[in-house]
Structure formats: C-alpha cells, structure tokens
Amino acid sequence: MTETVEESTASAEDLRTAMTDQLVRAGTICSKQVEAAFLAVARHDFAPDAPLVEAYAAHEAVRTKRDEYGIAISSVSAPDIQAMMLEQAQAQVGMRVGEVGSGGYNAALLAEIVGPEGSVVTIDIDSYVTDRARTLLDAAGYGRVEVFLADAEHGLPDHGTVDRLMVTVGAWDIPPAWTDQLAEDGRLIVPLRMRGLTRSVAFDRDGDRLVSRSAEVCGFVTMQGEGEHAERLLLIRGKEIALRFDDGWPADPEALNGVFDTERVEKWSGVSVARTEPFTGLQMWLATALDGFCLMAVDADLETGLVAPQNKQSNLALLDGDSFAYLTIRRDGDRAEFGVHGYGPHAEQVAEALAEQIRTWDRDHRRDEPVIYAYPISTPETDLPTGRVITKRHRRIVISWPHEGQADHRTTNDKEN
C-alpha cells in the first residue's frame, strides 16, 4: 500500500473516522450501533505492529501470526468483513455474546454494541492468541471481555447460553456445542465452507435445526483443533494445476493422466455480466447443481499459459472421470461472457454440462439466493427439505433454491471421504 503525505500525517482518530465513513458510504455499515462501535474502538490498539494507515485500511486484514510455512493462522480481520458480520448479527444492548477466534478488536466492537449491561466472551485454541487478546483488551479498556483458552469444538467453557455466537475463523462444520449454547431465539454467524466456497451465514435457531437469514462471501483463516478439515489437492501437469476438493474425492484420480494431450473444447454460454457485477450466486449454483464440482488453481510460479481460467487462485471447475472443464470468460466492452474450456476424452460432454448449468442459473436463479439449513447428522434424509445435501461430521447442510423440486440432479448427497 502506498501511503500519501496526508495519510502519513493523519491522526488515528482521523483515520478511524475516514474508515468508518467509507464503510457507511459503501452500505457495509448500515446501523447506528455498528457505526458507533467502529468510531469508538481504536483499531490500531489491536494491530500495534502495523502502520496506522494499514491498521485503518477498510479492506485489509492485519496478519498477527504465521505458521512455519508463512501461512497466516491468526489475523485481525478486514474492517469491511467485521462490519458485515456485525450487521448480520444484529446484536443489541444487554445481549450475551460469544466469539470464536480472539483477535481482540472484534470482541471490543461487540462490547461496545452490547454495552455494560451485556457480556462478551471470546475463545481461541492458541495461547499466543488469547494472551495477546487479553493484554490488548485490558490496555484498551475492555477488561470486562472474558477471554478463554479452549477448543471451540466443545463450545464456550463454563458458560451458559448466548444470544449471539459469532465465529471469526473458517469452519467446515457446525459442532453440536454451538447450537446447544445458543438461546432458543439466538443467532449463529459463521464463515461456513460448503463444497469449497465460504459464506458468512447468519443462522437463526429453529429448534434443533438452523435456518439462514443471509449469506455473504468472505474468507477466513481456517479452524484448528478437532474442527479442522483440510481440502485435498489433485495435482495435474506436474504441479502447475491443482483441482481442489473440499467434499469427496474422485474415484480414479489417475484417470486424468495425460488429459492435456487432448484438444481443448470451447463452449460459450451466451450469459454475461457487467464488469462490476457480482456473480457469487452463480458460484453457489454450480456448487449445488453439479456432482464433480471442484475448484481449480494455477501455480503462479509454474504457469505456462496453457489454461485461461476466470480466476487463477480459485476457479469453478467440473470433473467427470477422465475429463474436466473449467469456467472462463471473454470480454466485450464493459461486459464479460461466461464460457467453458474442456479437456479429456469426454471434454465435449463435460464442457456442455457446465455451460448448460450457467444458462440454467441465468434463466431460473440469477436473482435468487438459496436458503441454507443445518440439521443434526441424525436427521433422516426423508425429513430434509429438497436441495443439495452435504453430509459433514455433525451436520447435514442443505442448500435449497427456489423451485428446487424442478431439478432432480440437485438432491445428490455428498458423503465425506
């Protein structure tokens, strides 16, 4: 980030006000209580090693710990993501709030929102993180926030029910303890990974099930401890290209050997978006509509230009035995058309299947958002609503679109391998 003279001489209070105003103008902050919290809490107190301008960058996280490979395992999340989740939470004065993941700053924001009449407890599995959070919270005047060292898989230690539970690490599943400690009318906000896609889902409790009220795109450091779940990579063409699988694994990974020896097949969908138009609904639709859905990544250091994905780090793809296809785009003025590149002996069929689902999304679901349900793992499939069922360790996640019953292929059950 390049720092201007004005930024370098601005005070922390000026930068905090400017950051908050930016989030209000963008519509990320839309409630007075969240705005007041952002104006009250000094973010730089929780990122003491970062320059002021970086501490108050609206769209940037501040990494606070990395593992031996240099991968961030703890951070102060980007302000826009924190504001989005706080708006999803709709916490009120006097509420009891639990937080999983203890950067300190978010807990301080929550403390401002619920006030002295409420309570905030935050837990983390890493003693470095909890010790750091405790020190910074005390120094910033938020000693009333309780900090515990614990594995979140087992819930909040020595604690009763909470009105809101906010998870600030990427979760693959929803352990029973989170629902057990949620009040009957409580809300869980969790960055939930579903078939490789992460959405911050605001779930309301409805008996023993959870029902989504909103789902927003986000990215988080992943869960550690018993709730950890690593995606699996299928490397092709050496290590240049990886297919990433979050749920499931191909029956015969070796079938893709030599897949790029075949001629590339191109299909164009006729579906386009404006340059600044989001298409996150298409991502979720393809993840729910297609068996064999996965994500493709290209190693920047090994890239030869063989493939032209829409997104080199996390691109939508479809694998079917010895063939696969991926999403690409071509630009025409201020619009971009979705297309598909396919490889393998059955590239024509796989590419057409992916292109057809792009058209289906455009025709039937472009303006839709799915409802996401989380049921106990013991729930019989016959008692689940229609939709894509993703079976995890503790939960059956159901992603249900409007008019779901019109398509049989979206009721396939993905079993964990």
Side-chain angles (χ1 to χ4, degrees):
M1 176 182 297
T2 302
E3 191 172 347
T4 66
V5 174
E6 290 78 7
E7 289 171 334
S8 65
T9 58
S11 69
E13 184 175 355
D14 290 338
L15 290 170
R16 184 162 66 252
T17 300
M19 177 192 73
T20 304
D21 289 346
Q22 181 181 351
L23 294 172
V24 170
R25 289 195 303 272
T28 309
I29 292 177
C30 50
S31 66
K32 291 299 183 182
Q33 56 265 42
V34 173
E35 180 182 4
F38 267 76
L39 290 172
V41 180
R43 180 176 164 85
H44 69 280
D45 285 349
F46 298 93
D49 298 326
L52 277 179
V53 67
E54 293 182 13
Y56 288 103
H59 307 295
E60 299 294 332
V62 177
R63 271 60 179 176
T64 56
K65 186 178 181 181
R66 298 180 183 271
D67 65 13
E68 64 270 28
Y69 305 107
I71 298 173
I73 57 175
S74 184
S75 66
V76 181
S77 299
D80 58 342
I81 296 295
Q82 290 175 302
M84 176 193 76
M85 294 182 73
L86 288 170
E87 292 290 357
Q88 285 183 298
Q90 297 183 345
Q92 305 295 326
V93 172
M95 282 188 171
R96 293 164 57 86
V97 179
E99 181 196 38
V100 174
S102 301
Y105 177 61
N106 195 67
L109 292 169
L110 286 166
E112 286 289 338
I113 291 171
V114 303
E117 306 94 326
S119 65
V120 177
V121 57
T122 180
I123 66 173
D124 201 282
I125 197 171
D126 189 333
S127 61
Y128 169 84
V129 174
T130 54
D131 290 347
R132 180 182 183 279
R134 179 73 279 160
T135 298
L136 296 178
L137 283 164
D138 287 345
Y142 295 96
R144 67 183 185 274
V145 174
E146 298 181 82
V147 181
F148 289 99
L149 176 66
D151 188 334
E153 187 79 359
H154 308 294
L156 307 173
D158 303 321
H159 222 73
T161 61
V162 292
D163 301 296
R164 299 289 186 269
L165 180 60
M166 180 176 287
V167 181
T168 60
V169 290
W172 181 78
D173 202 358
I174 301 173
W178 294 0
T179 304
D180 293 345
Q181 289 189 296
L182 203 60
E184 286 299 322
D185 58 350
R187 176 169 291 186
L188 167 69
I189 304 90
V190 55
L192 184 63
R193 207 165 78 231
M194 299 162 286
R195 309 205 78 196
L197 303 178
T198 300
R199 298 291 185 266
S200 174
V201 186
F203 283 112
D204 282 350
R205 182 173 181 178
D206 179 20
D208 62 355
R209 74 173 187 171
L210 299 167
V211 182
S212 71
R213 299 307 176 200
S214 64
E216 304 288 348
V217 175
C218 65
F220 274 86
V221 171
T222 58
M223 186 83 69
Q224 301 177 54
E226 290 187 30
E228 184 175 3
H229 179 86
E231 65 181 8
R232 300 178 68 181
L233 300 180
L234 175 56
L235 301 177
I236 50 180
R237 194 174 166 84
K239 297 182 179 179
E240 179 185 355
I241 298 167
L243 299 183
R244 298 163 41 197
F245 293 86
D246 193 47
D247 305 277
W249 183 248
D252 182 12
E254 301 298 321
L256 283 182
N257 289 343
V259 69
F260 289 110
D261 294 338
T262 63
E263 186 176 351
R264 184 174 79 185
V265 169
E266 290 190 8
K267 299 282 184 178
W268 294 99
S269 66
V271 177
S272 66
V273 291
R275 281 182 179 269
T276 58
E277 182 183 351
F279 54 93
T280 55
L282 173 62
Q283 296 170 346
M284 187 60 74
W285 170 256
L286 295 180
T288 57
L290 294 166
D291 296 323
F293 174 87
C294 58
L295 297 172
M296 184 179 81
V298 181
D299 190 313
D301 295 330
L302 302 175
E303 183 180 1
T304 63
L306 175 67
V307 293
Q310 177 268 327
N311 183 325
K312 293 180 181 180
Q313 285 75 47
S314 183
N315 197 70
L316 310 180
L318 173 63
L319 175 65
D320 187 359
D322 57 5
S323 305
F324 87 101
Y326 66 85
L327 186 72
T328 189
I329 59 171
R330 60 183 177 188
R331 299 192 182 281
D332 182 12
D334 64 350
R335 299 192 68 81
E337 181 186 0
F338 294 117
V340 179
H341 289 172
Y343 290 91
H346 302 95
E348 182 80 22
Q349 297 94 313
V350 178
E352 182 55 37
L354 183 52
E356 182 55 33
Q357 287 307 321
I358 296 171
R359 299 183 193 108
T360 299
W361 167 77
D362 180 57
R363 182 181 65 245
D364 298 338
H365 298 292
R366 186 161 183 150
R367 294 173 180 80
D368 295 336
E369 292 294 337
V371 177
I372 303 169
Y373 300 90
Y375 284 82
I377 192 66
S378 58
T379 306
E381 287 196 41
T382 53
D383 292 344
L384 300 176
T386 302
R388 165 68 69 168
V389 181
I390 306 173
T391 299
K392 297 178 181 284
R393 284 189 290 270
H394 304 299
R395 294 282 174 177
R396 293 186 187 274
I397 306 297
V398 184
I399 305 173
S400 182
W401 292 80
H403 318 299
E404 192 74 24
Q406 296 178 0
D408 298 341
H409 61 273
R410 295 193 294 277
T411 62
T412 301
N413 190 25
D414 292 317
K415 298 292 185 181
E416 178 194 0
N417 284 340

